[in-house]
Amino acid sequence: MLLASPWRPRLAEGRGSASERLVEALARDIADGSLPSGARLPAHRPLAWQLDIGIGTVTKAYAQLERRGLVRSVRGRGMFVAGLPRAAGRTIDLSVNVPPQQLSDRLLAASLSDLARRLDADSFGAYAAPAGRLDHRALLARWLAPTGIAAAPERLLICHGAQHALAIAFAITCGPDTELLTEALSYPGAIALARRRGLRLTGLAIDEQGLVPQALDKALHEAKTAGRRAVLYITPTLHNPTTATMGEARRQDIARLCRAHDAVIIEDDIHAALAEPGTIAIAALAPERTLHVSGLSKVLSPGLRIGSLLVPEPWLTPALAELAATCTMASLLSCLIMERWLSEDTAASVTRSIRDEASRRVALARELLPPGTALSSGNGFHVWLPMAPERATALPARAAASGILLPAPEIFLADAQAPSWGVRLSLGGPKLERLQDALAGLRTLLLDGGSGPQSRAMP
């Protein structure tokens, strides 16, 4: 006699199709251990009846879960939970901004097995175009389409991660006379690149939507008056570190100002797939002057080193030359894995699960951190705690003594005189129970004076 499934049938809340919502409900319960490894899933027909959906909908959802390696089919017995890999350690790392783990060993094994069948020694041993195969670039272009970008595959370059794409964008747009404008608090990788290139870096005022247009207008006027060329590096969606996301009117203002001052824009859109549907990229508003940087590390897995750089036509030749000089060719192995995941809708399913899990972790942070803590969050997997400089500087050292790793606040400072500092908490890396321990420890530290929270919502 077959054992009944322990799962209580439900559809996740949201606007997706019934099959997508069923996938998300099951993926969430597998991720948090509510459905342990080996647990039996409900049979197709009874589940369809209980949820008032079609049997085909259940079949489609189960197939997606099996492609992701979260469940496995046993002939004659049914579908069972395969589970996710577990990790443990004494130190809890909230310093590295990685997505919650939603891949499985079975998905990776299946993808690599498929790759072994499709890839021959001659193809593996041949050099390819530095920017990648055109069909792979077309796949990435379709992945970007929901942000409003009509990307010609010929102008979309495959890079070794978004950081590589960003390095190419800086190299071809920022000469010796360039003033690189960015948010006063900005992505540490971009700050490090700018300083390594010896660029003049200017941090501009930000608010709850990110970069303030009036501050940009003033900086562009000053750069032009001083005879310097201005390039704007900006993260309009789920800004790192503050989590701010610009509304469309603000994006229109930024595009208009850069067009009026003839300034180049480098848009870091690495979190675009986690944004609210209908969020439009600045590259769609000012395509003639925007270099668009994206990638798959934050919305699928850091192990998939696929970045993309979309360039306007005038920048294509120097971008291809810089790409060839810094990588020789796109990784065929990574591109074939990307092809499988994007073609099968596996990528979209994993991204939905990452967003769902990220929302749960942000809610956990709101629940466990002290009441009144100023906590900014979007749809991503990090949160921002604004606080005075001395408190922000002290908290990581105190947390480290408790086994909790936090990033130093100074690494986010594009403007050393920024009026508001804070601490970024990256919630995606630890398993959920470990994250609960870390947040409980931080609660104690925040309540214990010296690093107490402030009441402002944003820097």
Side-chain angles (χ1 to χ4, degrees), residues 372-394:
T373 298
L375 185 150
S376 303
S377 65
N379 292 323
F381 35 83
H382 73 277
V383 297
W384 176 247
L385 307 181
M387 59 184 66
E390 64 277 5
R391 293 177 173 176
T393 302

Side-chain angles (χ1 to χ4, degrees), residues 151-228:
E154 295 80 5
R155 293 191 291 105
L156 188 64
L157 284 56
I158 296 178
C159 306
H160 284 260
Q163 184 71 11
H164 182 214
L166 188 58
I168 293 171
F170 279 18
I172 65 176
T173 61
C174 298
D177 63 337
T178 298
E179 181 171 1
L180 185 64
L181 308 176
T182 190
E183 300 96 338
L185 300 171
S186 190
Y187 166 52
I191 294 173
L193 272 176
R195 289 176 177 159
R196 282 182 64 85
R197 295 188 62 85
L199 298 176
R200 179 188 178 97
L201 185 64
T202 301
L204 305 178
I206 54 178
D207 62 13
E208 70 281 354
Q209 284 195 56
L211 182 62
V212 174
Q214 292 83 353
L216 174 62
D217 191 21
K218 181 173 183 290
L220 290 171
H221 273 296
E222 290 175 351
K224 184 180 294 185
T225 300
R228 293 189 296 268

Side-chain angles (χ1 to χ4, degrees), residues 137-409:
R137 294 153 74 181
L139 272 175
L140 273 175
R142 287 199 291 274
W143 177 255
L144 296 175
T147 65
I149 295 175
E154 295 80 5
R155 293 191 291 105
L156 188 64
L157 284 56
I158 296 178
C159 306
H160 284 260
Q163 184 71 11
H164 182 214
L166 188 58
I168 293 171
F170 279 18
I172 65 176
T173 61
C174 298
D177 63 337
T178 298
E179 181 171 1
L180 185 64
L181 308 176
T182 190
E183 300 96 338
L185 300 171
S186 190
Y187 166 52
I191 294 173
L193 272 176
R195 289 176 177 159
R196 282 182 64 85
R197 295 188 62 85
L199 298 176
R200 179 188 178 97
L201 185 64
T202 301
L204 305 178
I206 54 178
D207 62 13
E208 70 281 354
Q209 284 195 56
L211 182 62
V212 174
Q214 292 83 353
L216 174 62
D217 191 21
K218 181 173 183 290
L220 290 171
H221 273 296
E222 290 175 351
K224 184 180 294 185
T225 300
R228 293 189 296 268
R229 185 161 177 265
V231 172
L232 173 64
Y233 166 72
I234 188 169
T235 306
T237 299
L238 289 173
H239 174 257
N240 185 2
T242 70
T243 79
T245 293
M246 287 185 178
E248 185 171 351
R250 176 71 61 91
R251 293 170 189 248
Q252 293 276 9
D253 287 343
I254 299 298
R256 174 182 54 78
L257 287 169
C258 288
R259 186 174 285 121
H261 291 278
D262 195 24
V264 173
I265 303 168
I266 299 174
E267 180 181 18
D268 189 336
D269 215 15
I270 190 69
H271 294 110
L274 301 176
E276 291 292 336
T279 302
I280 302 299
I282 292 176
L285 304 175
E288 80 287 355
R289 65 186 58 256
T290 305
L291 287 78
H292 183 272
V293 173
S294 190
L296 300 179
S297 65
K298 302 298 187 186
V299 296
L300 288 178
S301 173
L304 188 60
R305 302 312 299 162
I306 296 287
S308 67
L309 177 63
L310 178 64
V311 296
E313 187 65 37
W315 297 105
L316 182 56
T317 297
L320 286 170
E322 185 69 21
L323 179 64
T326 54
C327 81
T328 305
M329 61 179 282
S331 167
L332 182 58
L333 296 179
S334 291
C335 287
L336 288 175
I337 293 173
M338 174 194 72
E339 177 185 358
R340 175 186 168 100
W341 290 357
L342 291 185
S343 299
E344 291 182 344
D345 198 40
T346 298
S349 178
V350 171
T351 297
R352 286 192 294 267
S353 287
I354 287 174
R355 179 172 171 173
D356 185 63
E357 178 64 16
S359 296
R360 183 160 54 145
R361 290 171 178 241
V362 170
L364 184 65
R366 292 190 181 279
E367 175 188 339
L368 294 181
L369 293 178
T373 298
L375 185 150
S376 303
S377 65
N379 292 323
F381 35 83
H382 73 277
V383 297
W384 176 247
L385 307 181
M387 59 184 66
E390 64 277 5
R391 293 177 173 176
T393 302
L395 184 57
R398 299 177 68 213
S402 300
I404 304 166
L405 298 185
L406 301 177

Side-chain angles (χ1 to χ4, degrees), residues 29-107:
D29 290 349
I30 292 170
D32 68 11
S34 301
L35 263 179
S37 179
R40 188 172 186 269
L41 269 60
H44 291 58
R45 190 176 300 276
L47 180 60
W49 180 82
Q50 285 181 278
L51 296 178
D52 194 24
I53 58 178
I55 295 176
T57 299
V58 177
T59 301
K60 183 178 179 181
Y62 279 13
Q64 181 60 253
L65 289 164
E66 191 165 20
R67 281 196 295 271
R68 288 178 52 180
L70 299 180
V71 302
R72 55 188 174 85
S73 176
V74 179
R75 187 177 179 84
R77 295 186 59 205
M79 196 75 73
F80 295 82
V81 174
L84 287 168
R86 300 290 171 183
R90 294 185 61 187
T91 300
I92 307 174
D93 193 349
L94 304 186
S95 67
V96 181
N97 211 23
V98 297
Q101 176 61 279
Q102 296 296 304
L103 298 180
S104 68
D105 292 340
R106 289 174 61 84
L107 173 60

Side-chain angles (χ1 to χ4, degrees), residues 106-117 333 337 340-341:
R106 289 174 61 84
L107 173 60
L108 289 174
S111 299
L112 293 174
S113 177
D114 175 68
L115 190 152
R117 290 192 296 269
L333 296 179
I337 293 173
R340 175 186 168 100
W341 290 357

